[in-house]
Amino acid sequence: MIRNKETAEHYIWGAGCDGWKLVNDPSLSIIYEKMPPSTCESRHYHEQARQFFFILSGAVELEVDGVTYSLSQQEGMEVHAGTPHQIFNRTEEDAEFLVISSPRSAGDRVELT
């Protein structure tokens, strides 16, 4: 089955951010995400899932275990299970990216303050 933003399950997270579940299998999740300008995700970690963030357009800052990395279009970064992280769009343009998780990150998230 061909999947895209029009056919995938859609959800809204954070302050107006979008996600489309392209693959939603217990062993693998691929989500297409869009973050408007000046938005961020809450800081958290996953007990089991390791993730790879790949930027399709725009730019983000990914804080991983206290270190902030700037990622631009066609760049990506892995986040290992158990590692606190948070993504930010501090630009004036939308950021679009893929989040690939193995196993699926749903139900595996621990919020941090």
Side-chain angles (χ1 to χ4, degrees):
M1 170 186 218
I2 296 174
R3 299 213 176 122
N4 56 41
K5 291 186 342 185
E6 286 72 36
T7 61
E9 178 185 345
H10 173 258
Y11 65 98
I12 297 174
W13 60 274
C17 300
D18 292 286
W20 293 268
K21 297 178 181 181
L22 301 175
V23 174
N24 190 24
D25 182 80
S27 63
L28 176 67
S29 167
I30 301 175
I31 302 175
Y32 187 118
E33 295 196 353
K34 180 173 111 178
M35 292 180 73
S38 303
T39 56
C40 68
E41 175 182 39
S42 61
R43 193 162 193 266
H44 66 281
Y45 68 90
H46 299 279
E47 293 181 322
Q48 301 295 319
R50 83 192 244 219
Q51 297 184 302
F52 187 78
F53 293 78
F54 187 78
I55 310 309
L56 300 171
S57 65
V60 300
E61 290 184 4
L62 184 61
E63 182 269 316
V64 179
D65 206 15
V67 179
T68 301
Y69 301 90
S70 295
L71 299 173
S72 298
Q73 185 173 332
Q74 304 300 305
E75 293 181 327
M77 185 168 187
E78 182 176 1
V79 177
H80 294 279
T83 305
H85 60 281
Q86 183 175 10
I87 193 166
F88 302 86
N89 179 358
R90 292 187 169 126
T91 73
E92 295 181 13
E93 297 180 12
D94 287 346
E96 296 188 9
F97 52 95
L98 296 176
V99 180
I100 302 160
S101 305
S102 178
R104 176 174 55 200
S105 61
D108 181 45
R109 181 180 173 116
V110 177
E111 296 291 330
L112 299 169
T113 55

